[in-house]
Amino acid sequence: MSVTQFPLTLRVTVSGATPDEIRENARAQALNFFGATAELDVISAEAESDGEHHNRYRATVVFRRVAG
């Protein structure tokens, strides 16, 4: 049986009050998925106001593990 390998991307949606909080929350989810020592690339990141919570933002971030 052969093993097929191909790159995976992970899309996470997080919320936070600041860009740093959003980055940390997204990174934590990606490291949980790819492994704590994984080196990651951010493919895209988009943030928008969270209409349900004042002064909070929701972001969708797409990660891919760096090949190595």
Short mmCIF file of all heavy atoms in Angstrom, two decimals:
data_model
loop_
_atom_site.label_atom_id
_atom_site.label_comp_id
_atom_site.label_asym_id
_atom_site.label_seq_id
_atom_site.Cartn_x
_atom_site.Cartn_y
_atom_site.Cartn_z
N MET A 1 0.84 -1.17 0.00
CA MET A 1 0.00 0.00 0.00
C MET A 1 0.89 1.24 0.00
O MET A 1 1.81 1.37 0.79
CB MET A 1 -0.89 -0.02 1.24
CG MET A 1 -1.80 1.13 1.35
SD MET A 1 -3.13 0.68 2.45
CE MET A 1 -3.08 1.94 3.63
N SER A 2 0.65 2.17 -0.89
CA SER A 2 1.46 3.38 -0.96
C SER A 2 0.87 4.48 -0.09
O SER A 2 -0.33 4.52 0.16
CB SER A 2 1.57 3.86 -2.41
OG SER A 2 0.31 4.29 -2.86
N VAL A 3 1.73 5.36 0.34
CA VAL A 3 1.31 6.50 1.15
C VAL A 3 1.27 7.73 0.25
O VAL A 3 2.25 8.08 -0.40
CB VAL A 3 2.27 6.74 2.33
CG1 VAL A 3 1.88 7.97 3.10
CG2 VAL A 3 2.33 5.51 3.22
N THR A 4 0.14 8.37 0.17
CA THR A 4 -0.01 9.57 -0.62
C THR A 4 0.17 10.78 0.27
O THR A 4 -0.48 10.91 1.29
CB THR A 4 -1.40 9.63 -1.29
OG1 THR A 4 -1.57 8.45 -2.06
CG2 THR A 4 -1.55 10.85 -2.14
N GLN A 5 1.07 11.66 -0.14
CA GLN A 5 1.29 12.89 0.62
C GLN A 5 0.98 14.08 -0.26
O GLN A 5 1.34 14.10 -1.43
CB GLN A 5 2.72 12.97 1.11
CG GLN A 5 3.04 11.92 2.14
CD GLN A 5 4.42 12.12 2.72
OE1 GLN A 5 5.11 13.08 2.43
NE2 GLN A 5 4.83 11.21 3.58
N PHE A 6 0.32 15.04 0.30
CA PHE A 6 0.01 16.28 -0.42
C PHE A 6 -0.16 17.37 0.62
O PHE A 6 -0.47 17.11 1.78
CB PHE A 6 -1.25 16.13 -1.28
CG PHE A 6 -2.43 15.56 -0.54
CD1 PHE A 6 -3.31 16.40 0.14
CD2 PHE A 6 -2.66 14.20 -0.51
CE1 PHE A 6 -4.40 15.88 0.82
CE2 PHE A 6 -3.75 13.68 0.16
CZ PHE A 6 -4.62 14.52 0.83
N PRO A 7 0.06 18.61 0.23
CA PRO A 7 -0.06 19.71 1.19
C PRO A 7 -1.51 19.92 1.61
O PRO A 7 -2.42 19.81 0.79
CB PRO A 7 0.48 20.92 0.44
CG PRO A 7 0.36 20.57 -1.00
CD PRO A 7 0.45 19.08 -1.10
N LEU A 8 -1.69 20.20 2.88
CA LEU A 8 -3.01 20.53 3.42
C LEU A 8 -3.01 21.98 3.86
O LEU A 8 -2.01 22.49 4.36
CB LEU A 8 -3.34 19.67 4.63
CG LEU A 8 -3.65 18.21 4.40
CD1 LEU A 8 -3.81 17.49 5.74
CD2 LEU A 8 -4.92 18.06 3.60
N THR A 9 -4.13 22.62 3.68
CA THR A 9 -4.31 23.94 4.28
C THR A 9 -5.35 23.80 5.39
O THR A 9 -6.20 22.91 5.36
CB THR A 9 -4.77 25.00 3.27
OG1 THR A 9 -6.00 24.58 2.68
CG2 THR A 9 -3.73 25.21 2.19
N LEU A 10 -5.25 24.65 6.36
CA LEU A 10 -6.20 24.68 7.48
C LEU A 10 -6.80 26.07 7.56
O LEU A 10 -6.08 27.06 7.62
CB LEU A 10 -5.49 24.35 8.79
CG LEU A 10 -6.33 24.47 10.05
CD1 LEU A 10 -7.42 23.40 10.08
CD2 LEU A 10 -5.46 24.40 11.29
N ARG A 11 -8.12 26.14 7.55
CA ARG A 11 -8.83 27.41 7.68
C ARG A 11 -9.43 27.46 9.08
O ARG A 11 -10.18 26.56 9.47
CB ARG A 11 -9.95 27.49 6.63
CG ARG A 11 -10.75 28.77 6.67
CD ARG A 11 -11.87 28.74 5.64
NE ARG A 11 -11.39 28.35 4.33
CZ ARG A 11 -11.02 29.20 3.37
NH1 ARG A 11 -11.09 30.49 3.58
NH2 ARG A 11 -10.60 28.75 2.21
N VAL A 12 -9.05 28.49 9.84
CA VAL A 12 -9.59 28.66 11.19
C VAL A 12 -10.32 30.00 11.27
O VAL A 12 -9.94 30.96 10.61
CB VAL A 12 -8.50 28.57 12.28
CG1 VAL A 12 -7.83 27.22 12.27
CG2 VAL A 12 -7.47 29.67 12.15
N THR A 13 -11.36 30.04 12.07
CA THR A 13 -12.08 31.27 12.33
C THR A 13 -11.98 31.55 13.82
O THR A 13 -12.31 30.68 14.63
CB THR A 13 -13.55 31.16 11.89
OG1 THR A 13 -13.58 30.85 10.49
CG2 THR A 13 -14.31 32.45 12.14
N VAL A 14 -11.48 32.72 14.16
CA VAL A 14 -11.26 33.10 15.55
C VAL A 14 -11.81 34.50 15.78
O VAL A 14 -12.11 35.23 14.83
CB VAL A 14 -9.76 33.06 15.91
CG1 VAL A 14 -9.22 31.64 15.81
CG2 VAL A 14 -8.95 34.01 15.05
N SER A 15 -11.90 34.87 17.05
CA SER A 15 -12.32 36.23 17.36
C SER A 15 -11.37 36.81 18.39
O SER A 15 -10.66 36.09 19.08
CB SER A 15 -13.76 36.26 17.87
OG SER A 15 -13.86 35.55 19.08
N GLY A 16 -11.37 38.14 18.45
CA GLY A 16 -10.52 38.83 19.41
C GLY A 16 -10.75 40.32 19.34
O GLY A 16 -11.42 40.82 18.44
N ALA A 17 -10.18 41.03 20.31
CA ALA A 17 -10.35 42.47 20.39
C ALA A 17 -9.23 43.24 19.69
O ALA A 17 -9.40 44.40 19.36
CB ALA A 17 -10.43 42.91 21.85
N THR A 18 -8.10 42.56 19.47
CA THR A 18 -6.95 43.22 18.85
C THR A 18 -6.34 42.31 17.78
O THR A 18 -6.53 41.08 17.82
CB THR A 18 -5.86 43.53 19.90
OG1 THR A 18 -5.33 42.28 20.39
CG2 THR A 18 -6.39 44.36 21.05
N PRO A 19 -5.56 42.87 16.87
CA PRO A 19 -4.88 42.03 15.89
C PRO A 19 -3.97 40.98 16.55
O PRO A 19 -3.93 39.83 16.11
CB PRO A 19 -4.06 43.03 15.06
CG PRO A 19 -4.85 44.29 15.14
CD PRO A 19 -5.39 44.31 16.55
N ASP A 20 -3.26 41.36 17.61
CA ASP A 20 -2.38 40.40 18.29
C ASP A 20 -3.17 39.24 18.89
O ASP A 20 -2.74 38.09 18.83
CB ASP A 20 -1.55 41.08 19.38
CG ASP A 20 -0.45 41.95 18.80
OD1 ASP A 20 -0.06 41.74 17.62
OD2 ASP A 20 0.02 42.85 19.52
N GLU A 21 -4.31 39.54 19.49
CA GLU A 21 -5.15 38.49 20.07
C GLU A 21 -5.66 37.55 18.98
O GLU A 21 -5.65 36.32 19.16
CB GLU A 21 -6.32 39.11 20.84
CG GLU A 21 -7.18 38.08 21.56
CD GLU A 21 -8.32 38.71 22.34
OE1 GLU A 21 -8.41 39.96 22.41
OE2 GLU A 21 -9.14 37.94 22.87
N ILE A 22 -6.07 38.10 17.87
CA ILE A 22 -6.54 37.28 16.75
C ILE A 22 -5.41 36.40 16.24
O ILE A 22 -5.60 35.20 16.02
CB ILE A 22 -7.12 38.17 15.64
CG1 ILE A 22 -8.46 38.74 16.10
CG2 ILE A 22 -7.26 37.40 14.32
CD1 ILE A 22 -9.03 39.79 15.19
N ARG A 23 -4.23 36.97 16.05
CA ARG A 23 -3.08 36.19 15.57
C ARG A 23 -2.75 35.03 16.51
O ARG A 23 -2.52 33.91 16.07
CB ARG A 23 -1.85 37.08 15.42
CG ARG A 23 -1.91 38.00 14.24
CD ARG A 23 -0.61 38.81 14.12
NE ARG A 23 -0.74 39.85 13.13
CZ ARG A 23 -0.93 41.13 13.41
NH1 ARG A 23 -0.97 41.55 14.67
NH2 ARG A 23 -1.06 42.02 12.44
N GLU A 24 -2.71 35.31 17.81
CA GLU A 24 -2.37 34.26 18.77
C GLU A 24 -3.43 33.15 18.81
O GLU A 24 -3.09 31.97 18.86
CB GLU A 24 -2.17 34.86 20.17
CG GLU A 24 -1.70 33.86 21.19
CD GLU A 24 -0.42 33.13 20.81
OE1 GLU A 24 0.48 33.73 20.20
OE2 GLU A 24 -0.32 31.91 21.12
N ASN A 25 -4.70 33.53 18.77
CA ASN A 25 -5.76 32.52 18.78
C ASN A 25 -5.70 31.64 17.53
O ASN A 25 -5.87 30.42 17.60
CB ASN A 25 -7.13 33.18 18.88
CG ASN A 25 -7.37 33.82 20.24
OD1 ASN A 25 -6.71 33.52 21.21
ND2 ASN A 25 -8.33 34.74 20.29
N ALA A 26 -5.47 32.25 16.38
CA ALA A 26 -5.39 31.49 15.13
C ALA A 26 -4.16 30.59 15.13
O ALA A 26 -4.24 29.41 14.75
CB ALA A 26 -5.36 32.45 13.94
N ARG A 27 -3.03 31.12 15.55
CA ARG A 27 -1.79 30.34 15.59
C ARG A 27 -1.93 29.13 16.52
O ARG A 27 -1.48 28.03 16.20
CB ARG A 27 -0.64 31.23 16.05
CG ARG A 27 0.70 30.55 16.06
CD ARG A 27 1.79 31.56 16.48
NE ARG A 27 3.05 30.89 16.63
CZ ARG A 27 3.46 30.26 17.73
NH1 ARG A 27 2.69 30.23 18.79
NH2 ARG A 27 4.64 29.67 17.77
N ALA A 28 -2.56 29.32 17.66
CA ALA A 28 -2.75 28.22 18.61
C ALA A 28 -3.56 27.09 17.98
O ALA A 28 -3.24 25.91 18.15
CB ALA A 28 -3.44 28.73 19.88
N GLN A 29 -4.61 27.43 17.25
CA GLN A 29 -5.41 26.39 16.60
C GLN A 29 -4.61 25.68 15.52
O GLN A 29 -4.69 24.45 15.38
CB GLN A 29 -6.68 27.00 16.01
CG GLN A 29 -7.71 27.33 17.04
CD GLN A 29 -9.04 27.68 16.40
OE1 GLN A 29 -9.42 27.14 15.37
NE2 GLN A 29 -9.76 28.59 17.02
N ALA A 30 -3.83 26.42 14.75
CA ALA A 30 -3.04 25.81 13.68
C ALA A 30 -1.97 24.88 14.25
O ALA A 30 -1.76 23.78 13.74
CB ALA A 30 -2.40 26.88 12.82
N LEU A 31 -1.30 25.29 15.32
CA LEU A 31 -0.29 24.44 15.94
C LEU A 31 -0.92 23.20 16.56
O LEU A 31 -0.30 22.12 16.56
CB LEU A 31 0.52 25.23 16.96
CG LEU A 31 1.45 26.28 16.36
CD1 LEU A 31 2.10 27.10 17.48
CD2 LEU A 31 2.49 25.65 15.45
N ASN A 32 -2.12 23.32 17.06
CA ASN A 32 -2.82 22.16 17.60
C ASN A 32 -3.08 21.14 16.49
O ASN A 32 -2.97 19.93 16.70
CB ASN A 32 -4.14 22.59 18.25
CG ASN A 32 -4.83 21.45 18.94
OD1 ASN A 32 -4.24 20.80 19.80
ND2 ASN A 32 -6.07 21.20 18.57
N PHE A 33 -3.38 21.60 15.30
CA PHE A 33 -3.67 20.72 14.16
C PHE A 33 -2.39 20.15 13.55
O PHE A 33 -2.28 18.94 13.34
CB PHE A 33 -4.46 21.50 13.10
CG PHE A 33 -4.80 20.69 11.88
CD1 PHE A 33 -5.83 19.78 11.90
CD2 PHE A 33 -4.07 20.85 10.71
CE1 PHE A 33 -6.15 19.03 10.77
CE2 PHE A 33 -4.38 20.12 9.57
CZ PHE A 33 -5.42 19.20 9.60
N PHE A 34 -1.41 21.01 13.25
CA PHE A 34 -0.21 20.59 12.54
C PHE A 34 0.89 20.04 13.44
O PHE A 34 1.79 19.36 12.98
CB PHE A 34 0.36 21.76 11.73
CG PHE A 34 -0.43 22.10 10.51
CD1 PHE A 34 -1.13 23.29 10.42
CD2 PHE A 34 -0.48 21.25 9.41
CE1 PHE A 34 -1.84 23.63 9.29
CE2 PHE A 34 -1.20 21.56 8.27
CZ PHE A 34 -1.88 22.76 8.21
N GLY A 35 0.85 20.37 14.72
CA GLY A 35 1.88 19.94 15.66
C GLY A 35 2.59 21.14 16.25
O GLY A 35 2.82 22.14 15.57
N ALA A 36 2.95 21.03 17.50
CA ALA A 36 3.47 22.17 18.26
C ALA A 36 4.76 22.75 17.70
O ALA A 36 5.06 23.92 17.92
CB ALA A 36 3.69 21.76 19.73
N THR A 37 5.52 21.97 16.95
CA THR A 37 6.79 22.46 16.43
C THR A 37 6.73 22.80 14.94
O THR A 37 7.76 23.11 14.33
CB THR A 37 7.92 21.43 16.66
OG1 THR A 37 7.57 20.22 15.97
CG2 THR A 37 8.11 21.17 18.15
N ALA A 38 5.54 22.76 14.36
CA ALA A 38 5.40 23.01 12.92
C ALA A 38 5.74 24.45 12.56
O ALA A 38 5.41 25.38 13.30
CB ALA A 38 3.97 22.70 12.48
N GLU A 39 6.40 24.60 11.43
CA GLU A 39 6.63 25.93 10.87
C GLU A 39 5.50 26.19 9.89
O GLU A 39 5.22 25.37 9.01
CB GLU A 39 7.98 25.97 10.15
CG GLU A 39 8.37 27.34 9.68
CD GLU A 39 9.74 27.37 9.02
OE1 GLU A 39 10.48 26.39 9.11
OE2 GLU A 39 10.04 28.41 8.41
N LEU A 40 4.83 27.34 10.04
CA LEU A 40 3.61 27.60 9.28
C LEU A 40 3.73 28.83 8.39
O LEU A 40 4.41 29.79 8.75
CB LEU A 40 2.44 27.81 10.24
CG LEU A 40 2.17 26.67 11.22
CD1 LEU A 40 1.14 27.12 12.25
CD2 LEU A 40 1.72 25.43 10.49
N ASP A 41 3.06 28.76 7.25
CA ASP A 41 2.87 29.93 6.39
C ASP A 41 1.42 30.34 6.49
O ASP A 41 0.52 29.49 6.56
CB ASP A 41 3.14 29.59 4.92
CG ASP A 41 4.59 29.66 4.54
OD1 ASP A 41 5.35 30.36 5.23
OD2 ASP A 41 4.96 29.03 3.54
N VAL A 42 1.17 31.64 6.49
CA VAL A 42 -0.19 32.14 6.42
C VAL A 42 -0.47 32.42 4.94
O VAL A 42 0.22 33.19 4.30
CB VAL A 42 -0.37 33.42 7.25
CG1 VAL A 42 -1.75 34.01 7.04
CG2 VAL A 42 -0.14 33.13 8.72
N ILE A 43 -1.48 31.75 4.42
CA ILE A 43 -1.86 31.90 3.02
C ILE A 43 -2.75 33.13 2.85
O ILE A 43 -2.60 33.90 1.91
CB ILE A 43 -2.60 30.64 2.51
CG1 ILE A 43 -1.74 29.39 2.75
CG2 ILE A 43 -2.99 30.78 1.06
CD1 ILE A 43 -0.38 29.44 2.13
N SER A 44 -3.70 33.30 3.76
CA SER A 44 -4.56 34.48 3.74
C SER A 44 -5.12 34.72 5.13
O SER A 44 -5.19 33.81 5.95
CB SER A 44 -5.69 34.32 2.72
OG SER A 44 -6.59 33.32 3.14
N ALA A 45 -5.52 35.97 5.36
CA ALA A 45 -6.14 36.34 6.63
C ALA A 45 -7.06 37.52 6.37
O ALA A 45 -6.64 38.51 5.78
CB ALA A 45 -5.09 36.69 7.66
N GLU A 46 -8.30 37.38 6.81
CA GLU A 46 -9.28 38.46 6.66
C GLU A 46 -10.02 38.65 7.96
O GLU A 46 -10.45 37.68 8.57
CB GLU A 46 -10.28 38.13 5.55
CG GLU A 46 -9.68 38.07 4.17
CD GLU A 46 -10.72 37.83 3.09
OE1 GLU A 46 -11.92 38.10 3.35
OE2 GLU A 46 -10.33 37.38 2.02
N ALA A 47 -10.15 39.90 8.38
CA ALA A 47 -10.86 40.21 9.62
C ALA A 47 -12.04 41.12 9.31
O ALA A 47 -12.01 41.90 8.35
CB ALA A 47 -9.93 40.89 10.62
N GLU A 48 -13.06 41.01 10.14
CA GLU A 48 -14.23 41.87 10.02
C GLU A 48 -14.80 42.11 11.40
O GLU A 48 -14.54 41.35 12.34
CB GLU A 48 -15.28 41.25 9.10
CG GLU A 48 -15.85 39.94 9.62
CD GLU A 48 -16.78 39.27 8.64
OE1 GLU A 48 -16.93 39.76 7.52
OE2 GLU A 48 -17.35 38.24 9.01
N SER A 49 -15.57 43.16 11.52
CA SER A 49 -16.22 43.48 12.78
C SER A 49 -17.19 42.37 13.16
O SER A 49 -17.91 41.85 12.31
CB SER A 49 -16.96 44.81 12.65
OG SER A 49 -17.61 45.13 13.85
N ASP A 50 -17.19 42.00 14.42
CA ASP A 50 -18.13 40.99 14.92
C ASP A 50 -19.40 41.72 15.33
O ASP A 50 -19.44 42.39 16.36
CB ASP A 50 -17.52 40.25 16.10
CG ASP A 50 -18.38 39.09 16.58
OD1 ASP A 50 -19.60 39.08 16.31
OD2 ASP A 50 -17.84 38.19 17.24
N GLY A 51 -20.42 41.63 14.52
CA GLY A 51 -21.65 42.36 14.74
C GLY A 51 -22.37 42.03 16.04
O GLY A 51 -23.16 42.83 16.53
N GLU A 52 -22.07 40.88 16.62
CA GLU A 52 -22.75 40.47 17.85
C GLU A 52 -22.06 40.98 19.11
O GLU A 52 -22.66 41.00 20.18
CB GLU A 52 -22.83 38.93 17.91
CG GLU A 52 -23.69 38.35 16.80
CD GLU A 52 -23.75 36.84 16.87
OE1 GLU A 52 -23.39 36.27 17.92
OE2 GLU A 52 -24.16 36.24 15.87
N HIS A 53 -20.77 41.37 18.99
CA HIS A 53 -20.01 41.80 20.16
C HIS A 53 -19.30 43.11 19.85
O HIS A 53 -18.50 43.20 18.92
CB HIS A 53 -18.98 40.74 20.55
CG HIS A 53 -19.60 39.42 20.87
ND1 HIS A 53 -19.70 38.41 19.95
CD2 HIS A 53 -20.18 38.96 22.00
CE1 HIS A 53 -20.29 37.37 20.51
NE2 HIS A 53 -20.60 37.68 21.75
N HIS A 54 -19.57 44.13 20.64
CA HIS A 54 -18.97 45.46 20.47
C HIS A 54 -17.46 45.39 20.68
O HIS A 54 -16.98 44.76 21.62
CB HIS A 54 -19.61 46.42 21.47
CG HIS A 54 -19.14 47.82 21.33
ND1 HIS A 54 -19.38 48.58 20.21
CD2 HIS A 54 -18.41 48.61 22.16
CE1 HIS A 54 -18.84 49.77 20.36
NE2 HIS A 54 -18.24 49.81 21.55
N ASN A 55 -16.70 46.07 19.82
CA ASN A 55 -15.23 46.15 19.91
C ASN A 55 -14.54 44.79 19.81
O ASN A 55 -13.47 44.59 20.38
CB ASN A 55 -14.79 46.87 21.19
CG ASN A 55 -15.08 48.34 21.13
OD1 ASN A 55 -15.15 48.93 20.05
ND2 ASN A 55 -15.26 48.94 22.28
N ARG A 56 -15.16 43.85 19.09
CA ARG A 56 -14.52 42.55 18.84
C ARG A 56 -14.54 42.32 17.34
O ARG A 56 -15.36 42.86 16.62
CB ARG A 56 -15.24 41.41 19.56
CG ARG A 56 -15.23 41.64 21.04
CD ARG A 56 -14.94 40.53 21.96
NE ARG A 56 -14.33 39.32 21.59
CZ ARG A 56 -13.16 38.93 22.06
NH1 ARG A 56 -12.47 39.70 22.86
NH2 ARG A 56 -12.67 37.76 21.76
N TYR A 57 -13.61 41.49 16.90
CA TYR A 57 -13.46 41.21 15.48
C TYR A 57 -13.39 39.71 15.27
O TYR A 57 -12.94 38.97 16.14
CB TYR A 57 -12.19 41.90 14.94
CG TYR A 57 -12.26 43.38 15.14
CD1 TYR A 57 -11.81 43.96 16.33
CD2 TYR A 57 -12.83 44.20 14.18
CE1 TYR A 57 -11.91 45.32 16.54
CE2 TYR A 57 -12.94 45.57 14.39
CZ TYR A 57 -12.47 46.11 15.56
OH TYR A 57 -12.59 47.46 15.78
N ARG A 58 -13.83 39.29 14.10
CA ARG A 58 -13.79 37.88 13.71
C ARG A 58 -12.87 37.80 12.51
O ARG A 58 -12.93 38.63 11.60
CB ARG A 58 -15.20 37.41 13.36
CG ARG A 58 -15.32 35.99 12.95
CD ARG A 58 -16.75 35.57 12.69
NE ARG A 58 -17.52 36.59 11.97
CZ ARG A 58 -18.62 37.17 12.44
NH1 ARG A 58 -19.11 36.83 13.60
NH2 ARG A 58 -19.25 38.08 11.73
N ALA A 59 -12.00 36.79 12.50
CA ALA A 59 -11.06 36.63 11.39
C ALA A 59 -11.02 35.19 10.92
O ALA A 59 -11.16 34.27 11.72
CB ALA A 59 -9.66 37.05 11.83
N THR A 60 -10.83 35.03 9.63
CA THR A 60 -10.59 33.72 9.03
C THR A 60 -9.17 33.72 8.50
O THR A 60 -8.79 34.60 7.72
CB THR A 60 -11.60 33.44 7.90
OG1 THR A 60 -12.92 33.49 8.45
CG2 THR A 60 -11.35 32.08 7.29
N VAL A 61 -8.39 32.76 8.96
CA VAL A 61 -6.98 32.68 8.61
C VAL A 61 -6.73 31.30 8.01
O VAL A 61 -7.19 30.28 8.54
CB VAL A 61 -6.08 32.89 9.85
CG1 VAL A 61 -4.60 32.88 9.47
CG2 VAL A 61 -6.46 34.16 10.59
N VAL A 62 -6.00 31.27 6.89
CA VAL A 62 -5.66 30.01 6.23
C VAL A 62 -4.17 29.76 6.39
O VAL A 62 -3.36 30.61 6.01
CB VAL A 62 -6.06 30.03 4.74
CG1 VAL A 62 -5.70 28.71 4.07
CG2 VAL A 62 -7.55 30.31 4.60
N PHE A 63 -3.83 28.60 6.95
CA PHE A 63 -2.45 28.21 7.20
C PHE A 63 -2.06 27.01 6.32
O PHE A 63 -2.90 26.19 5.98
CB PHE A 63 -2.27 27.73 8.65
CG PHE A 63 -2.40 28.78 9.69
CD1 PHE A 63 -3.62 29.04 10.29
CD2 PHE A 63 -1.31 29.53 10.10
CE1 PHE A 63 -3.75 30.00 11.27
CE2 PHE A 63 -1.42 30.49 11.07
CZ PHE A 63 -2.64 30.73 11.67
N ARG A 64 -0.77 26.92 6.04
CA ARG A 64 -0.20 25.72 5.41
C ARG A 64 1.14 25.47 6.09
O ARG A 64 1.89 26.41 6.39
CB ARG A 64 0.02 25.91 3.92
CG ARG A 64 0.62 24.68 3.26
CD ARG A 64 0.69 24.73 1.76
NE ARG A 64 1.17 26.01 1.29
CZ ARG A 64 0.70 26.61 0.19
NH1 ARG A 64 -0.25 26.06 -0.52
NH2 ARG A 64 1.19 27.77 -0.19
N ARG A 65 1.41 24.21 6.35
CA ARG A 65 2.69 23.82 6.96
C ARG A 65 3.80 24.00 5.92
O ARG A 65 3.65 23.63 4.77
CB ARG A 65 2.64 22.39 7.43
CG ARG A 65 3.87 21.96 8.17
CD ARG A 65 3.73 20.56 8.67
NE ARG A 65 4.83 20.29 9.58
CZ ARG A 65 4.81 19.36 10.49
NH1 ARG A 65 3.77 18.57 10.62
NH2 ARG A 65 5.84 19.18 11.27
N VAL A 66 4.92 24.56 6.35
CA VAL A 66 6.07 24.74 5.47
C VAL A 66 6.65 23.35 5.17
O VAL A 66 6.85 22.54 6.09
CB VAL A 66 7.15 25.63 6.13
CG1 VAL A 66 8.40 25.69 5.29
CG2 VAL A 66 6.58 27.02 6.37
N ALA A 67 6.88 23.07 3.89
CA ALA A 67 7.45 21.78 3.51
C ALA A 67 8.85 21.64 4.08
O ALA A 67 9.61 22.61 4.11
CB ALA A 67 7.48 21.65 1.99
N GLY A 68 9.16 20.46 4.51
CA GLY A 68 10.49 20.30 5.06
C GLY A 68 10.86 18.88 5.32
O GLY A 68 10.23 17.94 5.22
#
